[in-house]
């Protein structure tokens, strides 16, 4: 079966870089939603906890339960709030405030311009009075930026709006809550980080989707994907490979089949513009549900060691490349420093 290696060394390198940006590791909340962006939820939780991270963010209660033992606090972005010692819950609309159990610890999400989730700025005072009247347990106030990874003044505009939110919350008597708004791109752009936590996702895993003009922070890909050989054949010129026979050999070639396909979350792509694996070999013909063809006969082949480079090839982003990888592919942590893959990007 295909397998995934997780480089502990590269993950800790990224955490070091991000802790420097945030001021301390206590201010990093690791975003582990969607199977830790495809890296493996409990593997990444255990590694983060061993490093000394105490806070995490996930999307669902189901994910939160699986990582409960590793963290002091887990923020659940999308789940029905209930009282819990470890979990806090993002609350994104007024009705939820009316319905929820007052003992549940909540973090109010305010819509400062992304218009996806959160209470509108002009509903904030109303929301705070419901919180006050119902004696709800408000522990945080948060927002999310729509354009942190774009070279424009939009981020500043939205950040000013969040400063306004903070003033309103503080003057309503909730000065003790934690405030947070930074995702990876916002933290990587920040010169003076002064909020309580940053919610970092993609940068943990080694990717920085900011355009080139921003000061680069050296990050290293944490995940590499490998496939195993299932068979080998020696083919003559003219042989056509895979469904549709889309690839025709122009010279004699040793071709092997490897056990990875679109059923494992690898993109099917376009056989006429093939993806090239890190050793320089293009995939031959169409990607099948469970198999690909490559020249050569090595027992295992590295298929991916830089999801951002692969994402460029497939016209997507690093987030989608890694989150699509099937949870049933075995993930294995590499402890040693010089395991050879992936190559540091800096
Ligand atoms: C996914 C998510 C993040 C992390 O974003 P990255 O760009 O991966 O750092 C932060 N906050 C919220 C609310 C999110 O949904």
């Amino acid at each position: 079966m295909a397998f995934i290696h997780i480089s502990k060394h590269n993950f800790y390198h990224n955490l070091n870089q991000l802790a420097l940006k945030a001021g301390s590791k206590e201010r990093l909340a690791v975003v582990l939603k969607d199977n830790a962006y495809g890296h493996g939820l409990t593997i990444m939780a255990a590694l983060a906890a061993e490093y000394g991270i105490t806070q995490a963010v996930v999307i669902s209660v189901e994910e939160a339960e699986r990582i409960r033992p590793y963290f002091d606090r887990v923020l659940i972005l999308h789940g029905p709030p209930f009282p819990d010692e470890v979990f806090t819950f993002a609350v994104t609309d007024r009705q939820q405030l009316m319905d929820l159990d007052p003992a549940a610890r909540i973090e109010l999400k305010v819509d400062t311009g992304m218009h996806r989730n959160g209470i509108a700025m002009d509903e904030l005072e109303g929301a705070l009075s419901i919180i006050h009247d119902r004696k709800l347990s408000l522990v945080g106030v948060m927002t999310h930026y729509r354009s942190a990874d774009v070279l424009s003044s939009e981020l500043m505009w939205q950040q000013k709006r969040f400063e306004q939110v903070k003033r309103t919350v503080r003057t309503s008597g909730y000065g003790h809550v934690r405030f947070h708004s930074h995702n990876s791109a916002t933290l990587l752009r920040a010169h003076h980080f002064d909020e309580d936590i940053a919610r970092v996702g993609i940068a943990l895993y080694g990717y920085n989707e900011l355009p080139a003009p921003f000061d680069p922070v050296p990050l290293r890909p944490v995940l590499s994907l490998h496939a195993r050989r299932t068979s080998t054949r020696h083919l003559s010129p003219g042989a056509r490979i895979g469904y549709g026979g889309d690839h025709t050999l122009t010279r004699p070639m040793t071709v092997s089949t490897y056990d990875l396909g679109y059923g494992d979350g690898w993109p099917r792509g376009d056989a006429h513009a093939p993806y090239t694996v890190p050793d320089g070999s293009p995939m031959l013909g169409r990607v099948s549900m469970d198999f690909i063809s490559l020249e050569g006969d090595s027992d295992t082949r590295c298929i991916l060691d830089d999801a951002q480079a692969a994402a460029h090839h497939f016209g997507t982003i690093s987030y989608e490349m890694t989150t699509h990888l099937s949870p049933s592919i075995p993930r294995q942590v590499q402890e040693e420093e010089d395991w050879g893959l992936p190559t540091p990007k800096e």
Side-chain angles (χ1 to χ4, degrees):
M1 175 141 202
F3 58 97
I4 284 170
H5 278 167
I6 296 297
S7 165
K8 177 174 171 174
H9 181 70
N10 287 359
F11 184 44
Y12 284 8
H13 166 88
N14 298 338
L15 283 169
N16 286 340
Q17 298 295 317
L18 295 164
L20 278 175
K21 271 283 182 187
S24 73
K25 63 185 174 191
E26 285 73 25
R27 286 166 136 191
L28 292 179
V30 292
V31 181
L32 302 177
K33 65 189 178 193
D34 293 86
N35 200 28
Y37 291 39
H39 289 61
L41 178 60
T42 52
I43 287 179
M44 299 312 288
L47 288 175
E50 189 188 327
Y51 179 89
I53 300 292
T54 58
Q55 323 241 16
V57 181
V58 292
I59 195 85
S60 67
V61 174
E62 186 262 332
E63 288 175 334
E65 289 292 2
R66 290 176 56 204
I67 60 166
R68 176 195 286 281
Y70 300 106
F71 299 102
D72 295 344
R73 194 194 275 197
V74 178
L75 166 62
I76 299 170
L77 293 171
H78 188 66
F82 57 85
D84 192 274
E85 284 148 33
V86 174
F87 302 164
T88 64
F89 298 84
V91 167
T92 57
D93 72 64
R94 240 179 109 88
Q95 192 55 45
Q96 257 185 310
L97 290 174
M98 303 298 292
D99 298 340
L100 62 85
D101 181 333
R105 297 185 305 155
I106 58 168
E107 310 209 35
L108 188 65
K109 189 159 187 183
V110 183
D111 177 7
T112 53
M114 182 154 170
H115 304 323
R116 187 183 62 174
N117 289 314
I119 282 165
M121 302 245 327
D122 59 12
E123 289 179 347
L124 178 59
E125 289 186 18
L128 289 167
S129 14
I130 298 171
I131 289 167
H132 178 265
D133 295 345
R134 294 200 62 221
K135 300 192 172 51
L136 302 185
S137 173
L138 181 70
V139 297
V141 174
M142 61 188 283
T143 195
H144 197 49
Y145 299 126
R146 69 178 182 201
S147 304
D149 55 353
V150 180
L151 194 57
S152 75
S153 59
E154 284 221 355
L155 176 63
M156 315 316 159
W157 165 78
Q158 233 188 315
Q159 282 182 311
K160 279 211 182 95
R161 289 166 62 92
F162 193 51
E163 290 306 317
Q164 214 173 305
V165 168
K166 289 180 189 171
R167 281 195 294 277
T168 307
V169 171
R170 288 195 183 107
T171 55
S172 309
Y174 293 100
H176 60 284
V177 305
R178 68 176 189 178
F179 292 101
H180 46 105
S181 64
H182 289 58
N183 61 355
S184 297
T186 318
L187 182 66
L188 292 170
R189 279 176 77 166
H191 294 297
H192 305 287
F193 177 74
D194 63 356
E195 291 187 347
D196 298 298
I197 54 161
R199 305 182 306 260
V200 284
I202 198 71
L204 295 174
Y205 308 107
Y207 303 106
N208 176 353
E209 295 276 355
L210 287 172
F214 293 103
D215 291 345
V217 173
L219 299 172
R220 297 176 182 174
V222 169
L223 172 151
S224 61
L225 171 67
H226 308 259
R228 289 187 216 274
R229 185 172 66 88
T230 59
S231 66
T232 295
R233 61 214 80 233
H234 305 283
L235 299 172
S236 307
R240 295 166 58 200
I241 296 174
Y243 282 114
D246 275 5
H247 185 84
T248 306
L249 294 189
T250 55
R251 55 183 167 86
M253 194 185 277
T254 299
V255 174
S256 295
T257 304
Y258 290 89
D259 62 351
L260 179 80
Y262 62 80
D264 303 296
W266 183 259
R268 185 165 169 274
D270 174 0
H272 299 289
Y275 171 79
T276 302
V277 302
D279 71 11
S281 311
M283 288 188 178
L284 304 172
R286 290 187 204 168
V287 170
S288 305
M289 191 179 292
D290 299 294
F291 299 105
I292 51 170
S293 299
L294 292 169
E295 179 173 10
D297 61 359
S298 321
D299 286 339
T300 65
R301 295 293 277 276
C302 179
I303 305 299
L304 171 96
D305 64 2
D306 180 342
Q308 200 158 17
H312 282 168
H313 174 83
F314 290 111
T316 181
I317 53 177
S318 50
Y319 298 75
E320 191 183 24
M321 277 315 296
T322 61
T323 47
H324 275 190
L325 295 174
S326 166
S328 63
I329 303 173
R331 273 98 170 138
Q332 216 173 59
V333 177
Q334 301 292 292
E335 298 268 348
E336 64 274 22
E337 191 166 322
D338 59 342
W339 54 296
L341 295 165
T343 325
K345 284 204 303 181
E346 74 266 66

